[in-house]
Amino acid sequence: MTSAAQVLAEAEALVRPALRRTIVKLPERERRVAEYHFGWADGSAADEATSGNGGKALRSALVLGAARAVGGDARRAVPGAVAVELVHNFSLLHDDVMDADRMRRHRPAAWVRFGVGAAVLAGDALQILSLQVLTGTGDPALTDVLIDTMADLMRGQSDDLAFESRDDVTAAEYRSMAELKTGALLGGACMLGALLGGSSPERARELGRFGRHLGVAFQCADDILGIWGRADRTGKPVGADVAARKKTLPVITALADASEAGRRLAALYRRPEPPGREECASMTALIEAAGGRAAVEAEGRRQITLALACLDRAEPQKTARADLATIAEWAMHRDR
Amino acid sequence: MTSAAQVLAEAEALVRPALRRTIVKLPERERRVAEYHFGWADGSAADEATSGNGGKALRSALVLGAARAVGGDARRAVPGAVAVELVHNFSLLHDDVMDADRMRRHRPAAWVRFGVGAAVLAGDALQILSLQVLTGTGDPALTDVLIDTMADLMRGQSDDLAFESRDDVTAAEYRSMAELKTGALLGGACMLGALLGGSSPERARELGRFGRHLGVAFQCADDILGIWGRADRTGKPVGADVAARKKTLPVITALADASEAGRRLAALYRRPEPPGREECASMTALIEAAGGRAAVEAEGRRQITLALACLDRAEPQKTARADLATIAEWAMHRDR
């Protein structure tokens, strides 16, 4: 059986040269920002540190896997993978500006290094380039999928930012946000891969649903990592989400819990001052005691089950099915 | 004969309701930012102040005029006008962030009012929406034109920012930048209008070239307004470009002039301190004395002549031809 690390490494090996060749088409300044952001310049050490985790190639692996799942040739799906990676990194560049996140992949975020304007323009440039990569294939259906995907991505980011100023976000609302913000692009990746692999629209849609559920599971895992993850793996300070009192899914679930732990957590979340190290530790323990961690782990598993059901409805080719399932498992357990 | 103000007002009257209906599709936060930016909310007085100038409807008027020029119905070209206005305003939202411009249309820029993150996301949302408007027409050729247009727009913005840290930008390089940054969207507007009007690709391309030359002329006029324009018309402080020592075309031309005035101007431009009011007045006079104003006025006229030659090669319908020529004249003289 192939491991997730192998599947992701193979995808990266196939897509990365094409991605690098595409980036070269950018104007020089945006190319420099993009190459830094991708970890190809001024940071070979940092690049190594993250490549073990393979997170960078997830979307590529979905594109190629979906192409093979419908009986197509993975190599023909490479433009789809390039486009999806460009969109993903456009959104990271802009999200870091919007969220004022200073660290990305163990290094200063692009806006910290090059300035807000340069990061915004580099993001814009990657986004347009992603569209040009697909118009270059001559199949307008691909461009349509990417545009709809980006619209959902925007809406998810919009919801995420709007939630920051709300105290009454429900777990269901959060899940819908995650489906747009994280699931849309994973779903789009699968649809593009399927279409480039010669799929019927129906099969492509089932694979798209597989990717959407996978995205919600991925967000569940991300939220768990944001609270309990190891800094050396996540590339962000340990417990960063708790220190920022971010209301991710484990927190929303714990705050809604009618236990003593849930009530104490709510009191700590209402405090105006930034929490100290000890308070962060208390909050982390209370989130777990109020069932926030267990509930989100269960939700992640539920989403993976739903994802695999959609995958099977697409009647996937056997080895591609195994690879996609391996990636799905990895998405839930990528800190291990 | 119809005046430019009439042509622009008719275009705005036809496009604005469709544009407002389209903006409503945005998530609430981005819609609020967009409606403020367009001047439809929190600023009815400001809106009135700028609407007299009609600058807002230039791109719409080109789309509708190009559709009529090829014998089509202006109303069928409205989606093209909506898409182009969305792209234009996406680029303004992001450009103001990149250039740290605090004022837009006589009011605080959107990023000043709502924050950088909100302005960036609203820009992204307008851009995606522009693409969705065109994919909604079912003609992939339109989406392709818009994507290529946006790629040129990005490249122009990139060049413009890169020029800020260079001392050796030539007038020819500046013209190429202006053709991308300003001309691409005016050219794209004409191409989309022509295609929506049922044009052949060849005629659409000629009309696209008309728009590109018009864009360079428009930038020439803009550069003149940036130095000699009246603040109540431009919406920016008088002489803002000189105070910021921006190297726009009149300055580049004057600095390259081997006269006493050119040399004195160069000395003032090399000073590190921000210029005072008196120094700004000296610089403005020296730019004019070194021929910067006259040369750029001549270049603008030359571009209009080239534009009209392209327009005529498209064998335009007669009244549409007159309207487009009127707009072209207005573009060069819109401060009067």
Side-chain angles (χ1 to χ4, degrees):
Chain A
M1 209 186 108
T2 320
S3 74
Q6 275 173 285
V7 176
L8 293 165
E10 278 171 28
E12 188 164 11
L14 196 53
V15 174
R16 190 168 162 155
L19 189 55
R20 294 198 73 149
R21 275 197 307 276
T22 306
I23 295 289
V24 169
K25 291 174 194 160
L26 293 173
E28 197 203 328
R29 286 159 49 98
E30 287 65 51
R31 182 171 60 77
R32 244 180 27 232
V33 177
E35 289 180 344
Y36 169 83
H37 169 79
F38 276 100
W40 299 336
D42 304 334
S44 45
D47 193 28
E48 252 173 72
T50 45
S51 65
N53 145 332
K56 281 182 179 175
L58 167 65
R59 291 155 194 82
S60 292
L62 292 176
V63 176
L64 307 186
R68 289 169 46 227
V70 300
D73 181 346
R75 279 166 303 180
R76 290 205 44 204
V78 168
V82 169
V84 166
E85 294 293 347
L86 292 172
V87 171
H88 176 52
N89 285 285
F90 139 67
S91 82
L92 294 181
L93 281 164
H94 282 196
D95 285 6
D96 285 346
V97 168
M98 291 175 212
D99 303 339
D101 276 338
R102 302 185 64 85
M103 293 297 285
R104 166 71 57 193
R105 295 171 181 156
H106 303 265
R107 297 183 307 163
W111 69 270
V112 173
R113 175 71 182 265
F114 297 95
V116 166
V120 170
L121 188 57
D124 289 343
L126 290 187
Q127 189 198 18
I128 305 293
L129 193 55
S130 74
L131 290 160
Q132 290 189 301
V133 167
L134 291 190
T135 56
T137 65
D139 179 358
L142 301 175
T143 315
D144 286 2
V145 166
L146 196 68
I147 290 169
D148 288 344
T149 297
M150 291 196 291
D152 282 349
L153 194 63
M154 293 296 99
R155 194 166 284 271
Q157 172 68 359
S158 173
D159 287 348
D160 196 21
L161 289 176
F163 287 179
E164 277 177 25
S165 53
R166 279 181 52 191
D167 275 331
D168 58 349
V169 177
T170 65
E173 285 179 312
Y174 189 90
R175 259 198 318 271
S176 304
M177 179 278 288
E179 190 183 326
L180 294 171
K181 187 177 160 140
T182 311
L185 192 54
L186 304 196
C190 293
M191 285 190 74
L192 289 175
L195 293 172
L196 284 160
S199 167
S200 70
E202 291 71 28
R203 263 177 116 184
R205 272 197 291 275
E206 285 297 353
L207 281 159
R209 285 184 202 111
F210 159 74
R212 286 210 163 211
H213 285 299
L214 182 58
V216 181
F218 193 86
Q219 188 61 52
C220 288
D222 229 40
D223 286 356
I224 289 169
L225 288 174
I227 300 176
W228 294 280
R230 286 170 47 187
D232 59 337
R233 298 289 181 91
T234 63
K236 296 195 171 188
V238 65
D241 284 0
V242 173
R245 289 206 186 86
K246 265 199 193 170
K247 288 191 184 153
T248 58
L249 195 51
V251 179
I252 290 172
T253 315
L255 288 173
D257 192 60
S259 63
E260 172 66 17
R263 278 191 299 275
R264 283 176 55 202
L265 183 68
L268 291 178
Y269 261 73
R270 274 195 300 270
R271 287 200 187 166
E273 320 82 55
R277 181 189 295 235
E278 226 170 283
E279 193 173 329
C280 282
S282 300
M283 291 194 290
T284 303
L286 289 169
I287 297 166
E288 186 147 8
R293 180 172 190 163
V296 175
E297 279 173 351
E299 176 62 24
R301 280 193 301 275
R302 190 178 77 91
Q303 293 288 341
I304 294 293
T305 305
L306 291 168
L308 295 176
C310 295
L311 176 58
D312 286 332
R313 273 200 293 277
E315 300 177 359
Q317 182 270 347
K318 211 177 142 198
T319 61
R321 199 260 177 217
D323 287 353
L324 289 171
T326 302
I327 292 173
E329 271 309 309
W330 167 85
M332 260 319 277
H333 303 289
R334 63 192 193 282
D335 196 31
R336 293 185 195 159
Chain B
M1 208 185 107
T2 320
S3 74
Q6 275 172 285
V7 177
L8 293 166
E10 279 171 28
E12 187 163 12
L14 196 53
V15 174
R16 189 167 161 155
L19 189 55
R20 294 199 73 150
R21 275 197 306 277
T22 306
I23 295 290
V24 169
K25 292 175 195 162
L26 293 173
E28 197 202 328
R29 289 158 47 98
E30 287 65 52
R31 182 171 61 74
R32 241 174 38 229
V33 177
E35 289 181 344
Y36 169 83
H37 170 79
F38 276 100
W40 299 336
D42 305 334
S44 45
D47 192 27
E48 253 172 73
T50 44
S51 66
N53 149 331
K56 280 182 180 177
L58 167 63
R59 290 154 193 84
S60 292
L62 291 177
V63 175
L64 307 186
R68 289 168 47 227
V70 299
D73 181 346
R75 280 167 301 179
R76 289 205 44 205
V78 168
V82 169
V84 166
E85 294 293 348
L86 291 172
V87 171
H88 176 51
N89 285 284
F90 139 67
S91 82
L92 294 181
L93 281 165
H94 281 195
D95 285 6
D96 284 346
V97 168
M98 290 175 213
D99 303 339
D101 275 340
R102 302 186 63 85
M103 294 297 285
R104 165 71 57 193
R105 293 170 182 157
H106 302 268
R107 297 184 305 164
W111 69 269
V112 173
R113 176 70 181 265
F114 297 95
V116 166
V120 170
L121 188 57
D124 289 343
L126 290 187
Q127 188 198 20
I128 304 290
L129 193 55
S130 73
L131 291 161
Q132 290 188 301
V133 167
L134 291 191
T135 56
T137 64
D139 180 356
L142 301 175
T143 315
D144 286 2
V145 166
L146 196 67
I147 290 169
D148 288 344
T149 297
M150 291 196 291
D152 282 350
L153 193 64
M154 292 297 99
R155 194 167 284 271
Q157 172 68 359
S158 173
D159 287 349
D160 196 20
L161 289 175
F163 287 179
E164 277 178 23
S165 53
R166 281 182 50 192
D167 276 332
D168 57 351
V169 177
T170 65
E173 284 179 311
Y174 189 91
R175 257 197 320 270
S176 304
M177 180 279 289
E179 190 184 326
L180 294 171
K181 188 176 159 137
T182 311
L185 193 54
L186 303 196
C190 293
M191 283 190 76
L192 288 175
L195 293 172
L196 283 159
S199 166
S200 69
E202 292 71 29
R203 260 176 119 183
R205 272 197 291 274
E206 284 299 353
L207 281 159
R209 283 182 204 112
F210 160 74
R212 286 210 162 210
H213 285 299
L214 182 57
V216 181
F218 193 87
Q219 188 60 52
C220 288
D222 229 41
D223 286 355
I224 289 169
L225 288 174
I227 299 175
W228 295 279
R230 285 170 49 186
D232 59 338
R233 298 290 181 91
T234 63
K236 297 196 173 187
V238 66
D241 284 0
V242 173
R245 290 204 185 89
K246 267 199 192 171
K247 288 191 183 154
T248 59
L249 195 53
V251 179
I252 290 171
T253 315
L255 287 173
D257 192 61
S259 64
E260 172 66 16
R263 278 191 299 274
R264 280 177 56 202
L265 182 68
L268 291 179
Y269 261 72
R270 274 195 299 271
R271 286 202 188 166
E273 322 81 55
R277 180 189 296 235
E278 225 170 284
E279 192 172 330
C280 282
S282 300
M283 291 194 289
T284 304
L286 289 170
I287 297 167
E288 184 144 9
R293 182 172 190 160
V296 175
E297 280 173 349
E299 176 62 25
R301 281 193 301 274
R302 190 178 77 91
Q303 293 288 341
I304 295 292
T305 306
L306 292 168
L308 295 176
C310 295
L311 176 58
D312 287 332
R313 272 199 295 277
E315 298 177 1
Q317 182 268 349
K318 211 176 142 197
T319 62
R321 198 260 176 218
D323 287 352
L324 289 171
T326 302
I327 292 173
E329 271 309 310
W330 167 86
M332 260 320 276
H333 304 288
R334 63 191 192 283
D335 195 33
R336 294 190 193 154

